[in-house]
Every structure is written in structure tokens, then in C-alpha cells.
Amino acid sequence: MDQVSLLIILTAALVTPLVMAKFKLTVLPTAVVEILVGILLGPSVLNVVHSNSTLSLLSSTGVIFLLFLSGMEIDFSLFNRRKRPQTPLAAKVAGSAPKYSPVFLAVTSYLAIMASSLLLGFICQWTGLFKDPWLAAIIFMTISLGIVIATLKEKELLSKPFGQTVLLIAALGEIIPLFSLTIYASVFGDNSKSLWLLLLVFLAAGVLFRRFQPFFTFFDSINKSTTQLDIRLAFFLIFSLVVIAESVGAEGILGAFVAGIVMKLLQPQENTMVRLDGIGYGFFIPIFFMMSGAELNLRTILADPATLLLIPAFFAAYLLAKAAVYFILRLRFKRANAFAGTAISATTITMVLAVLQVAKSMKVVTSQQSGAFLLAAILTCVLGPLLFNTGYSAEAEDLKKSTVHFIGTNLLTVPVAQQLADSWYDITMYTDKPDNYKTYNSEVNAKLLDSLESDYVEGQDAFDADIVVLGHFNATKNYELAKAAKAYGVTRVIARFEDRNVLDAREDELTDLGIEVYNTPNVNIAMLRSLIETPTTLRLLTASTSAVYEVALRNRRYTDQEIHSLPFVKDITISQIFRDGHFVRPTGSTTLKLNDRIIFTSNAETAHEIRRELGILN
């Protein structure tokens, strides 16, 4: 019967997403549907799946893998303090209101959640609903990072300030309860050890990070399909830190989460993360979710009248714990989006399951209470995404054009700036020459600089842009400013070097920093060669109806798709794909990969839509 129960679970794990796709059931997250399927298969309804040692082992591995992958979802670049430019449109909408950063909004929101959860925990104790206020507070402050990420990805919001804010709130909603649960188990558990031993988990994580920091550079030269060393490293990290965590009296899920953070900091390749997702969500994690439902006996739980009171009470507590988030999000975002962000932040399931698993092992929660907590959490996962998807609309600041700042206003840069200003770019030009400022000020948006010293230029907000172009005739100044702009955090920096001798001495350094360099004589030579080899090049580049464009593929919706299956393939012509340092000549069956740089031709209006669609960080 052990094998039969496992076979039924695996069959259900295969059929469930197929049925959801067939009938387009997108209202509920897959994790929630899998729990409901588990309830259907368990003693609550059909009673065809029974818990056994094999399923318990696979389920425990599933929760460990889920927390590991959650740790890998933390985007540490969100803590970058780089200032962001405020476009005239965003300034007009926001008025004089300050632009609070996503980090500030998220941390403030979560502090409010913690205070509300503690208050609700003691209210539960006072009313007799649940006797342990600390455990109740930990459960109420949890947020399901996986569901939040899936919802934000669907709306393509991960690269937007609103999406970054909600994502950080959700990340804190897994990190803080996880640490709180570890401390709770250490203080109140039967086998608790000194809290200072928890530091050994982070010490071990630091040692493993330093030891394997150069791993992926070395890995590229030795990897074989039969070794899969990156996956072996992931499992080594998981179980090393899980064993260490449990050895010092902490919960294994803390070790798994920290292992995920270590793996993320090691900066694995994209295909490594894809394979780990495949292992986790393809096998272990569905078993964990389904067994969480199968281990519930709703007949017994709902037979107790007290439980029927607990479900709506806990459901209300989940919502009330996150209510203050609305008022904090309103500091930057409009009412409808603040409400949508609060609704999705109220979803919780993953950490609730983990907390209840620990609570059961400590015998501090009854099966009725555990079932009420879980059923109330499932209700939040139904309501949260539904309210978010119906309530969210784009913020004005998300509709801004790409910001380009030219440092150097002259005969070469001004015509380029004028043409870009007619499309989807917000252009500002800077010059240190009063004569050039007087000449071009009426033709472009120009600002006069007193100096080209890096600190002064930074203080004039010249680096607050998506793209900074160093087009000054002084190659040395371009070199210094390019490095300063990159250090400031500018995504793309383009530097001009008219003197090839100056460029030769610095090109490798600048390239390693991710700075794009060009030299006018080389560009002219390349253009003349192209005109000889492909006579229509000049007509293509100067045509008013169509032009050559480039976009980096960031949107995962289009990765691993063949070109002929793209919905807009009839509107463009893809001429080249730059991948892993060299060009790929595409055909209709060529498969697109994440971070491909796609070179295509189309008209300006179509190009803008396609660049926006493919370039979204999703």
C-alpha cells in the first residue's frame, strides 16, 4: 500500500497542472490546488492516500527544498541605494511628495506587520482561541513568498518599484518568521540548546560561501552532463547546513533557507537555477503540498464546533495582521495598488505549513487548531491573488521613458539626442563648455556644468539615468566619468574614445567593468566594409520607416521558445542573436535563451512595444 499511495500522489502531481492548463484555472496558485487535491485524496473525502514512512520522508525533503528555493529567490540587488531619476510625468503625478524607496517601505511595512501580529497573538490568548501568543504571532506574520513571486511575475512587475516593494515585504515575511520559529523552538523545545549556537549555522554558511566562491568559474571548464556538479553542490549545501542547524538545536528548514541564500550569492548560471527548480517543483515540492492536504481529516476537524469558530477567526487575523501595509504603501502608490499590495501580502501557506510541522513535533498545537490555521491560510491564497489581479493597474512612474544622459554636447552627440528624443527616450545633455551650451540649449534639453570632476558631475544628478553616454572629446575625462558612473550603479555606460592609443590602454579594464566603448574611426571603417559587403546596409540604417534595434531578452515568458512561435514574429526580422560572447545566425527553429541580445529590424512603433515586452525583467 505504501507504493500505491506514492503512485497515486505522483499521478495527481502530473494530472493537476494539466487539468489547470486545460481549463485555464489561473485564479488559484498551483500550491493551493495541490493542497486541495491532497484533501480530496486523503481521509477527508476519498481516503485513497495514507501517510507512510516513504511519503513522510519525501514530504520532509519537499519542505526543505521549498525553503532552499525560497532562499534563492531573494534579490539582494534590491538593497542597492542608488537614486532613481524622477521623470517629469512622475513628478507631476506625485507632486511634491517624497519618493520613498522600496527598502524603506518594505521594512516599515513589515515592522507594522510584526506589531500587529503580536497584538493579535495576545488577543487570541485572552479570548481563549489559542493559548500560545508567540506561536500565533509567528504564524500571523508569515507571507507566502512563492505565491507573491508567481503573481508579480504574471503581471510582469518584478522590475517595477511597486513589485520590488511587495517582493521585499514577502521576503521578510519568510525570513523573519523563520528566524522567530528557530528562536521559539530553541527556547520552548524539549531539546533546546544555547541560542548562541545558532551563530554556527551562519558561520558555516560563510565558510561554505568563501570556499565555493570561485566554483562556477572552475565549473565551466570541467562540467559534463554525467557529473552535474552544480546540482551536486546544491544538495551538498542543503544537507550540510540542515545537519548543522539540527545539530545546534535549530530547525532544519533554517539551514535549508540559508543554503539557498548561499547558493544565490555564488551566482550560479541560469540553467543551474532552472534545473534546481525542475527537481524541486517537478518532484519533491508537489508531494509536500499534497501530503499537507492528505494529512488533514476535515471530517474530524469540522465535527468540532470550536474549530468552525477558529477558521474565520484565524482568517480575519491573517488579514488584520497585514492591514497596516495599505497605509504605508499609500506613501508612494495609488489607492487601488496599495490595496492590491496589501491583499497579496496577506497570502500565506508555505511558512504556515513549516511552522505547523514544527509545532506538531513540539506538541504545542492540536490537530483541530492546526487544521483551522491551514484552512484559513488556504482562504487567504484564494482571496489575495483574486483581489490583486482585479485591483492592480500601472503606476504613472512605470510608464516613464528610458532616461539617457549625454555628457558632452557637440556636433556628434546633439543629432543623436534629437532623434532619440522623438522616440521613447527622455534625454538630458550636459556640457562644461559655455559656448556649446549657448549654441545647443535651444535645440536640446541641456545643462551647463562648472566642472567635469566625477564627484561634481555625480552631485548634479548626471548619473541618475538608465543610460549614460560619455561623448566628450576629452578621452581621459570619458574614462574617469565612465568608471564613476558604473560605480554609481548606472545600468549601461557608453564611452567615446577618439584616440585609439588611449582606448588600447584601457579597453580591457572598461570591458571587464561592463562599460561599452566605441571609436569613431573604427565605426566608420566597419560601416564602409558593411556597405561594400551588404549594399543595403546604409538604406536600412537611415530608413525612416524601419531601423535596426537591439533588446536583451529578460522576460522568461519568451525564453526556451522557438522564434517561429513568437506572437509578433511577423512584425519583425531577427537578423542576429548575440549569445555567450559570439553571434548566432537565427532560423525559425532557433530557441531563445535568457539574456540573449536580439538584433532585429522593424518600424519605430513596433520596435518600442517589442523591446518593452522582451526586456521586462520577469
Side-chain angles (χ1 to χ4, degrees):
M1 291 301 295
D2 288 359
Q3 291 83 349
V4 172
S5 292
L6 176 58
L7 178 60
I8 293 173
I9 288 290
L10 293 178
T11 303
L14 173 64
V15 172
T16 297
L18 294 176
V19 172
M20 292 180 67
K22 174 68 174 178
F23 295 100
K24 298 181 179 179
L25 302 176
T26 58
V27 175
L28 293 180
T30 304
V32 176
V33 175
E34 288 170 345
I35 293 173
L36 295 176
V37 171
I39 293 174
L40 177 67
L41 297 175
S44 300
V45 184
L46 298 178
N47 197 26
V48 294
V49 170
H50 304 89
S51 181
N52 55 63
S53 58
T54 302
L55 285 173
S56 295
L57 175 62
L58 293 175
S59 179
S60 297
T61 306
V63 71
I64 286 173
F65 220 95
L66 179 63
L67 269 295
F68 169 76
L69 294 177
S70 296
M72 289 188 67
E73 293 287 358
I74 305 299
D75 185 0
F76 294 96
S77 67
L78 296 182
F79 295 90
N80 188 345
R81 290 184 174 271
R82 174 194 168 195
K83 295 183 293 181
R84 294 297 302 164
Q86 185 174 350
T87 65
L89 176 60
K92 183 178 180 180
V93 173
S96 58
K99 283 293 184 182
Y100 295 99
S101 71
V103 174
F104 172 82
L105 294 174
V107 171
T108 306
S109 295
Y110 200 74
L111 288 174
I113 291 173
M114 291 175 64
S116 301
S117 299
L118 284 170
L119 177 61
L120 289 167
F122 282 100
I123 289 175
C124 286
Q125 183 189 42
W126 177 64
T127 57
L129 293 175
F130 192 69
K131 66 179 182 179
D132 192 328
W134 303 107
L135 185 63
I138 292 172
I139 292 176
F140 293 148
M141 70 174 67
T142 60
I143 302 174
S144 181
L145 179 62
I147 290 176
V148 170
I149 287 176
T151 306
L152 293 176
K153 280 184 177 180
E154 187 66 26
K155 286 284 188 178
E156 300 179 338
L157 294 174
L158 286 179
S159 62
K160 303 288 192 297
F162 178 82
Q164 292 174 357
T165 303
V166 175
L167 177 63
L168 271 177
I169 295 173
L172 293 171
E174 285 212 346
I175 296 172
I176 303 300
L178 186 56
F179 284 103
S180 301
L181 177 64
T182 300
I183 295 173
Y184 174 88
S186 298
V187 173
F188 298 105
D190 295 334
N191 298 319
S192 61
K193 299 182 181 181
S194 300
L195 283 176
W196 68 268
L197 290 175
L198 293 179
L199 296 175
L200 293 178
V201 178
F202 302 100
L203 178 62
V207 171
L208 289 171
F209 172 70
R210 291 295 300 273
R211 175 63 184 85
F212 290 102
Q213 200 167 12
F215 174 83
F216 284 99
T217 302
F218 178 64
F219 160 77
D220 289 338
S221 63
I222 62 171
N223 186 41
K224 298 178 181 179
S225 59
T226 55
T227 56
Q228 301 291 330
L229 288 177
D230 50 346
I231 307 302
R232 297 188 190 193
L233 172 63
F235 277 96
F236 172 76
L237 291 175
I238 293 171
F239 288 100
S240 294
L241 290 174
V242 166
V243 169
I244 293 172
E246 293 182 344
S247 299
V248 300
E251 293 303 319
I253 54 177
L254 173 64
F257 189 81
V258 174
I261 293 176
V262 172
M263 191 70 179
K264 179 63 177 285
L265 291 174
L266 290 175
Q267 298 180 335
Q269 296 178 351
E270 183 65 27
N271 60 357
T272 297
M273 301 176 71
V274 169
R275 294 204 302 278
L276 288 171
D277 276 346
I279 294 171
Y281 289 103
F283 183 69
F284 292 110
I285 295 173
I287 293 177
F288 165 65
F289 282 128
M290 288 190 178
M291 288 306 300
S292 297
E295 290 173 352
L296 282 176
N297 191 334
L298 295 186
R299 297 177 183 178
T300 303
I301 294 173
L302 298 179
D304 186 351
T307 305
L308 297 177
L309 175 64
L310 289 178
I311 294 173
F314 289 160
F315 176 68
Y318 284 133
L319 301 182
L320 290 173
K322 315 303 191 308
V325 174
Y326 170 83
F327 301 99
I328 297 171
L329 292 181
R330 276 291 294 134
L331 295 174
R332 178 164 180 173
F333 307 110
K334 56 188 180 184
R335 287 187 180 87
N337 289 350
F339 178 77
T342 305
I344 197 64
S345 298
T347 58
T348 182
I349 190 69
T350 307
M351 279 304 301
V352 169
L353 290 169
V355 173
L356 291 176
Q357 188 179 60
V358 173
K360 286 179 183 178
S361 66
M362 295 175 61
K363 296 180 173 59
V364 294
V365 63
T366 66
S367 59
Q368 285 78 14
Q369 292 169 336
S370 175
F373 275 121
L374 181 56
L375 290 174
I378 292 174
L379 291 177
T380 67
C381 294
V382 174
L383 183 65
L386 179 63
L387 293 177
F388 182 88
N389 289 329
T390 56
Y392 178 81
S393 60
E395 292 280 338
E397 62 181 306
D398 295 338
L399 301 175
K400 73 180 185 70
K401 297 179 178 182
S402 296
T403 307
V404 182
H405 287 182
F406 285 81
I407 301 177
T409 305
N410 48 57
L411 287 172
L412 177 66
T413 57
V414 169
V416 176
Q418 289 175 321
Q419 293 182 29
L420 291 175
D422 293 333
S423 56
W424 285 89
Y425 293 95
D426 183 12
I427 305 296
T428 304
M429 305 198 74
Y430 297 84
T431 180
D432 63 328
K433 299 185 181 300
D435 290 342
N436 286 13
Y437 175 77
K438 292 178 182 179
T439 302
Y440 299 114
N441 184 39
S442 61
E443 300 178 26
V444 293
N445 177 23
K447 295 184 179 181
L448 181 62
L449 300 174
D450 295 332
S451 166
L452 287 182
E453 294 300 322
S454 299
D455 292 340
Y456 175 78
V457 173
E458 179 180 329
Q460 298 302 305
D461 298 331
F463 294 157
D464 286 329
D466 300 303
I467 303 172
V468 170
V469 180
L470 286 313
H472 204 279
F473 284 110
N474 188 326
T476 303
K477 284 297 181 183
N478 286 344
Y479 166 73
E480 295 171 355
L481 291 171
K483 292 203 301 180
K486 203 65 181 179
Y488 185 79
V490 180
T491 304
R492 290 189 63 198
V493 180
I494 304 172
R496 170 190 181 188
F497 290 89
E498 290 306 301
D499 188 341
R500 185 71 220 190
N501 293 325
V502 175
L503 178 59
D504 287 342
R506 296 170 171 82
E507 186 169 10
D508 290 342
E509 176 190 1
L510 295 175
T511 302
D512 291 341
L513 291 173
I515 296 169
E516 302 165 58
V517 299
Y518 72 96
N519 173 263
T520 303
N522 284 2
V523 172
N524 291 338
I525 292 170
M527 178 59 67
L528 179 58
R529 175 182 171 183
S530 296
L531 286 172
I532 294 172
E533 295 179 343
T534 54
T536 57
T537 299
L538 184 60
R539 181 179 300 176
L540 178 63
L541 292 177
T542 59
S544 58
T545 57
S546 64
V548 180
Y549 298 92
E550 179 179 337
V551 60
L553 179 57
R554 308 289 191 207
N555 194 336
R556 295 174 188 270
R557 179 182 297 178
Y558 299 103
T559 58
D560 297 321
Q561 278 198 36
E562 294 184 350
I563 289 176
H564 66 78
S565 65
L566 295 175
F568 44 78
V569 68
K570 295 181 179 179
D571 301 323
I572 65 174
T573 300
I574 298 177
S575 56
Q576 293 278 6
I577 297 175
F578 190 70
R579 176 186 299 164
D580 297 332
H582 45 82
F583 286 98
V584 175
R585 187 170 296 279
T587 64
S589 60
T590 300
T591 301
L592 298 178
K593 300 295 183 183
L594 194 69
N595 296 321
D596 276 354
R597 300 195 72 87
I598 302 170
I599 302 169
F600 66 96
T601 56
S602 73
N603 61 55
E605 184 177 350
T606 301
H608 165 69
E609 294 299 324
I610 291 173
R611 292 177 73 183
R612 183 187 63 81
E613 181 71 13
L614 295 180
I616 290 174
L617 179 60
N618 184 6

Coordinates of all heavy atoms in Angstrom, one line a residue, residues 532-559:
I532 N 30.1 47.8 -48.6 CA 30.7 47.0 -49.7 C 30.1 45.6 -49.7 O 29.8 45.1 -50.8 CB 32.3 47.0 -49.6 CG1 32.8 48.4 -49.7 CG2 32.9 46.0 -50.6 CD1 34.3 48.5 -49.4
E533 N 30.1 45.0 -48.5 CA 29.6 43.6 -48.4 C 28.1 43.4 -48.6 O 27.6 42.5 -49.1 CB 30.1 42.9 -47.2 CG 31.6 42.8 -47.1 CD 32.1 42.2 -45.8 OE1 31.3 42.2 -44.8 OE2 33.3 41.8 -45.7
T534 N 27.4 44.4 -48.0 CA 25.9 44.4 -48.0 C 25.4 45.7 -48.4 O 25.2 46.6 -47.5 CB 25.3 43.9 -46.6 OG1 25.9 44.8 -45.6 CG2 25.7 42.5 -46.3
P535 N 25.2 46.0 -49.6 CA 24.9 47.4 -50.1 C 23.7 48.0 -49.5 O 23.6 49.2 -49.5 CB 24.8 47.2 -51.6 CG 25.5 45.9 -51.9 CD 25.4 45.0 -50.7
T536 N 22.8 47.2 -49.0 CA 21.5 47.8 -48.5 C 21.7 48.3 -47.0 O 20.7 48.7 -46.4 CB 20.4 46.8 -48.6 OG1 20.8 45.6 -47.8 CG2 20.0 46.4 -50.0
T537 N 22.9 48.1 -46.5 CA 23.0 48.5 -45.0 C 22.7 49.9 -44.8 O 22.0 50.2 -43.8 CB 24.5 48.2 -44.6 OG1 24.8 46.8 -44.8 CG2 24.7 48.6 -43.2
L538 N 23.2 50.8 -45.6 CA 23.0 52.2 -45.4 C 21.5 52.6 -45.5 O 21.0 53.4 -44.7 CB 23.8 53.1 -46.4 CG 23.7 54.6 -46.2 CD1 24.2 55.0 -44.8 CD2 24.5 55.3 -47.2
R539 N 20.9 52.0 -46.5 CA 19.4 52.3 -46.6 C 18.6 51.8 -45.4 O 17.7 52.4 -45.0 CB 18.9 51.6 -47.9 CG 17.4 51.8 -48.2 CD 17.0 51.1 -49.5 NE 17.8 51.6 -50.6 CZ 17.6 51.2 -51.8 NH1 16.8 50.1 -52.1 NH2 18.3 51.7 -52.8
L540 N 19.1 50.6 -44.9 CA 18.4 50.1 -43.7 C 18.6 51.0 -42.5 O 17.7 51.2 -41.7 CB 18.9 48.7 -43.4 CG 18.3 47.9 -42.2 CD1 16.8 47.7 -42.4 CD2 19.0 46.6 -42.0
L541 N 19.8 51.4 -42.3 CA 20.1 52.2 -41.1 C 19.6 53.6 -41.1 O 19.3 54.2 -40.1 CB 21.7 52.3 -40.9 CG 22.4 51.0 -40.6 CD1 23.9 51.2 -40.5 CD2 21.9 50.4 -39.3
T542 N 19.4 54.1 -42.4 CA 18.9 55.5 -42.5 C 17.4 55.6 -42.9 O 16.9 56.7 -43.0 CB 19.7 56.3 -43.5 OG1 19.6 55.6 -44.8 CG2 21.2 56.4 -43.0
A543 N 16.7 54.5 -43.0 CA 15.4 54.5 -43.5 C 14.5 55.1 -42.4 O 14.7 55.0 -41.2 CB 14.9 53.1 -43.8
S544 N 13.4 55.8 -42.8 CA 12.5 56.5 -41.9 C 11.4 55.6 -41.4 O 10.8 55.8 -40.4 CB 11.9 57.7 -42.5 OG 11.2 57.4 -43.7
T545 N 11.1 54.5 -42.2 CA 10.0 53.6 -41.9 C 10.5 52.4 -41.0 O 9.7 51.9 -40.3 CB 9.4 53.1 -43.1 OG1 10.3 52.4 -43.9 CG2 8.7 54.2 -43.9
S546 N 11.8 52.0 -41.1 CA 12.3 50.9 -40.3 C 13.7 51.2 -40.0 O 14.4 51.9 -40.7 CB 12.1 49.6 -41.1 OG 12.9 49.6 -42.3
A547 N 14.2 50.5 -38.9 CA 15.5 50.7 -38.5 C 16.0 49.4 -37.7 O 15.2 48.5 -37.5 CB 15.6 51.9 -37.6
V548 N 17.3 49.4 -37.4 CA 17.8 48.3 -36.6 C 17.7 48.6 -35.1 O 18.1 49.6 -34.7 CB 19.3 48.0 -37.0 CG1 19.9 46.9 -36.3 CG2 19.4 47.8 -38.5
Y549 N 17.3 47.6 -34.4 CA 17.1 47.7 -32.9 C 17.7 46.5 -32.3 O 17.9 45.4 -32.9 CB 15.6 47.8 -32.5 CG 15.0 49.0 -33.1 CD1 14.3 48.9 -34.4 CD2 15.0 50.3 -32.5 CE1 13.7 50.0 -34.9 CE2 14.3 51.4 -33.0 CZ 13.7 51.2 -34.2 OH 13.1 52.3 -34.8
E550 N 18.0 46.6 -31.0 CA 18.5 45.6 -30.2 C 17.8 45.5 -28.8 O 17.5 46.6 -28.3 CB 20.0 45.7 -30.0 CG 20.7 44.6 -29.1 CD 22.2 44.8 -28.9 OE1 22.8 45.5 -29.8 OE2 22.7 44.3 -27.9
V551 N 17.6 44.3 -28.3 CA 17.0 44.2 -27.0 C 17.6 43.0 -26.3 O 17.8 41.9 -27.0 CB 15.5 44.1 -27.1 CG1 15.1 42.9 -27.9 CG2 14.8 44.0 -25.7
A552 N 17.8 43.1 -25.0 CA 18.3 41.9 -24.2 C 17.0 41.2 -23.7 O 16.2 41.8 -23.1 CB 19.2 42.4 -23.1
L553 N 17.0 39.9 -23.9 CA 15.8 39.1 -23.5 C 15.8 38.9 -22.0 O 16.7 38.1 -21.5 CB 15.8 37.8 -24.3 CG 14.6 36.8 -23.9 CD1 13.3 37.5 -24.2 CD2 14.7 35.5 -24.7
R554 N 14.9 39.5 -21.3 CA 14.8 39.4 -19.8 C 13.5 38.7 -19.4 O 13.5 38.1 -18.3 CB 14.9 40.7 -19.1 CG 16.0 41.6 -19.5 CD 17.3 41.1 -19.0 NE 18.4 42.1 -19.2 CZ 19.6 41.8 -19.3 NH1 20.0 40.5 -19.2 NH2 20.6 42.7 -19.4
N555 N 12.6 38.7 -20.3 CA 11.2 38.2 -19.9 C 11.2 36.7 -20.1 O 11.3 36.1 -21.2 CB 10.2 38.8 -20.8 CG 8.8 38.6 -20.3 OD1 8.5 37.6 -19.6 ND2 7.9 39.4 -20.7
R556 N 11.1 36.0 -19.0 CA 11.2 34.5 -19.0 C 10.0 33.9 -19.8 O 10.0 32.7 -20.1 CB 11.2 33.9 -17.6 CG 12.4 34.3 -16.8 CD 12.3 33.9 -15.4 NE 13.4 34.4 -14.6 CZ 14.6 33.8 -14.4 NH1 14.8 32.7 -15.0 NH2 15.6 34.4 -13.7
R557 N 9.0 34.7 -20.0 CA 7.8 34.2 -20.8 C 8.3 33.7 -22.2 O 7.6 32.8 -22.8 CB 6.7 35.2 -20.9 CG 5.5 34.8 -21.7 CD 4.5 35.9 -21.7 NE 4.0 36.3 -20.4 CZ 3.1 37.3 -20.2 NH1 2.7 38.0 -21.2 NH2 2.7 37.5 -19.0
Y558 N 9.3 34.4 -22.7 CA 9.7 34.1 -24.1 C 11.0 33.2 -24.1 O 11.5 33.0 -25.2 CB 9.9 35.4 -24.8 CG 8.6 36.2 -24.9 CD1 8.4 37.3 -24.1 CD2 7.6 35.8 -25.8 CE1 7.3 38.0 -24.2 CE2 6.5 36.5 -25.9 CZ 6.3 37.6 -25.1 OH 5.1 38.3 -25.1
T559 N 11.6 32.8 -23.0 CA 12.8 32.0 -23.0 C 12.4 30.6 -23.4 O 11.2 30.1 -23.1 CB 13.5 32.0 -21.7 OG1 12.6 31.6 -20.7 CG2 14.0 33.4 -21.4

